[in-house]
PDB file of all heavy atoms in Angstrom:
ATOM      1  N   SER G 757     -39.352  40.582  12.075  1.00  0.00           N
ATOM      2  CA  SER G 757     -38.641  41.031  10.798  1.00  0.00           C
ATOM      3  C   SER G 757     -37.319  40.330  10.598  1.00  0.00           C
ATOM      4  O   SER G 757     -36.665  40.606   9.603  1.00  0.00           O
ATOM      5  CB  SER G 757     -38.517  42.558  10.859  1.00  0.00           C
ATOM      6  OG  SER G 757     -37.751  42.834  11.978  1.00  0.00           O
ATOM      7  N   SER G 758     -36.787  39.613  11.656  1.00  0.00           N
ATOM      8  CA  SER G 758     -35.394  39.161  11.590  1.00  0.00           C
ATOM      9  C   SER G 758     -35.225  38.031  10.548  1.00  0.00           C
ATOM     10  O   SER G 758     -36.216  37.424  10.211  1.00  0.00           O
ATOM     11  CB  SER G 758     -34.976  38.672  12.973  1.00  0.00           C
ATOM     12  OG  SER G 758     -35.724  37.464  13.289  1.00  0.00           O
ATOM     13  N   ALA G 759     -34.003  37.810  10.191  1.00  0.00           N
ATOM     14  CA  ALA G 759     -33.711  36.765   9.283  1.00  0.00           C
ATOM     15  C   ALA G 759     -34.161  35.387   9.832  1.00  0.00           C
ATOM     16  O   ALA G 759     -34.624  34.533   9.120  1.00  0.00           O
ATOM     17  CB  ALA G 759     -32.224  36.809   8.929  1.00  0.00           C
ATOM     18  N   ILE G 760     -33.775  35.220  11.178  1.00  0.00           N
ATOM     19  CA  ILE G 760     -34.137  33.992  11.752  1.00  0.00           C
ATOM     20  C   ILE G 760     -35.636  33.648  11.753  1.00  0.00           C
ATOM     21  O   ILE G 760     -36.133  32.600  11.443  1.00  0.00           O
ATOM     22  CB  ILE G 760     -33.690  33.939  13.213  1.00  0.00           C
ATOM     23  CG1 ILE G 760     -32.121  33.945  13.220  1.00  0.00           C
ATOM     24  CG2 ILE G 760     -34.103  32.634  13.998  1.00  0.00           C
ATOM     25  CD1 ILE G 760     -31.478  33.818  14.588  1.00  0.00           C
ATOM     26  N   ALA G 761     -36.492  34.689  11.934  1.00  0.00           N
ATOM     27  CA  ALA G 761     -37.939  34.538  11.895  1.00  0.00           C
ATOM     28  C   ALA G 761     -38.355  34.107  10.470  1.00  0.00           C
ATOM     29  O   ALA G 761     -39.321  33.421  10.357  1.00  0.00           O
ATOM     30  CB  ALA G 761     -38.649  35.814  12.293  1.00  0.00           C
ATOM     31  N   ASN G 762     -37.771  34.684   9.491  1.00  0.00           N
ATOM     32  CA  ASN G 762     -38.232  34.465   8.113  1.00  0.00           C
ATOM     33  C   ASN G 762     -37.588  33.327   7.253  1.00  0.00           C
ATOM     34  O   ASN G 762     -37.477  33.323   6.111  1.00  0.00           O
ATOM     35  CB  ASN G 762     -38.004  35.725   7.365  1.00  0.00           C
ATOM     36  CG  ASN G 762     -39.026  36.818   7.896  1.00  0.00           C
ATOM     37  OD1 ASN G 762     -40.193  36.710   7.754  1.00  0.00           O
ATOM     38  ND2 ASN G 762     -38.413  37.800   8.582  1.00  0.00           N
ATOM     39  N   LEU G 763     -37.008  32.429   8.068  1.00  0.00           N
ATOM     40  CA  LEU G 763     -36.300  31.223   7.525  1.00  0.00           C
ATOM     41  C   LEU G 763     -37.168  30.381   6.705  1.00  0.00           C
ATOM     42  O   LEU G 763     -38.327  30.034   7.189  1.00  0.00           O
ATOM     43  CB  LEU G 763     -35.624  30.508   8.691  1.00  0.00           C
ATOM     44  CG  LEU G 763     -34.474  29.612   8.454  1.00  0.00           C
ATOM     45  CD1 LEU G 763     -33.363  30.335   7.832  1.00  0.00           C
ATOM     46  CD2 LEU G 763     -33.984  29.052   9.754  1.00  0.00           C
ATOM     47  N   THR G 764     -36.787  29.902   5.563  1.00  0.00           N
ATOM     48  CA  THR G 764     -37.641  28.860   4.849  1.00  0.00           C
ATOM     49  C   THR G 764     -37.458  27.554   5.622  1.00  0.00           C
ATOM     50  O   THR G 764     -36.448  27.273   6.195  1.00  0.00           O
ATOM     51  CB  THR G 764     -36.771  28.552   3.543  1.00  0.00           C
ATOM     52  OG1 THR G 764     -36.554  29.838   2.859  1.00  0.00           O
ATOM     53  CG2 THR G 764     -37.546  27.656   2.676  1.00  0.00           C
ATOM     54  N   PRO G 765     -38.661  26.976   5.860  1.00  0.00           N
ATOM     55  CA  PRO G 765     -38.781  25.775   6.764  1.00  0.00           C
ATOM     56  C   PRO G 765     -37.643  24.748   6.283  1.00  0.00           C
ATOM     57  O   PRO G 765     -37.577  24.418   5.100  1.00  0.00           O
ATOM     58  CB  PRO G 765     -40.137  25.222   6.501  1.00  0.00           C
ATOM     59  CG  PRO G 765     -40.912  26.367   6.046  1.00  0.00           C
ATOM     60  CD  PRO G 765     -40.037  27.310   5.302  1.00  0.00           C
ATOM     61  N   GLY G 766     -36.834  24.307   7.273  1.00  0.00           N
ATOM     62  CA  GLY G 766     -35.789  23.314   6.947  1.00  0.00           C
ATOM     63  C   GLY G 766     -34.437  24.000   6.757  1.00  0.00           C
ATOM     64  O   GLY G 766     -33.360  23.313   6.877  1.00  0.00           O
ATOM     65  N   ASP G 767     -34.373  25.211   6.415  1.00  0.00           N
ATOM     66  CA  ASP G 767     -33.063  25.901   6.141  1.00  0.00           C
ATOM     67  C   ASP G 767     -32.289  26.131   7.513  1.00  0.00           C
ATOM     68  O   ASP G 767     -32.889  26.213   8.571  1.00  0.00           O
ATOM     69  CB  ASP G 767     -33.196  27.295   5.518  1.00  0.00           C
ATOM     70  CG  ASP G 767     -33.233  27.022   3.963  1.00  0.00           C
ATOM     71  OD1 ASP G 767     -33.298  25.865   3.530  1.00  0.00           O
ATOM     72  OD2 ASP G 767     -33.137  28.066   3.268  1.00  0.00           O
ATOM     73  N   ASN G 768     -31.004  26.108   7.450  1.00  0.00           N
ATOM     74  CA  ASN G 768     -30.131  26.603   8.478  1.00  0.00           C
ATOM     75  C   ASN G 768     -29.780  28.101   8.284  1.00  0.00           C
ATOM     76  O   ASN G 768     -29.791  28.595   7.217  1.00  0.00           O
ATOM     77  CB  ASN G 768     -28.892  25.823   8.579  1.00  0.00           C
ATOM     78  CG  ASN G 768     -29.063  24.432   9.268  1.00  0.00           C
ATOM     79  OD1 ASN G 768     -30.156  24.026   9.354  1.00  0.00           O
ATOM     80  ND2 ASN G 768     -27.942  23.858   9.510  1.00  0.00           N
TER      81      ASN G 768
END
Side-chain angles (χ1 to χ4, degrees):
S757 61
S758 70
I760 293 184
N762 293 292
L763 201 57
T764 309
D767 273 10
N768 279 15

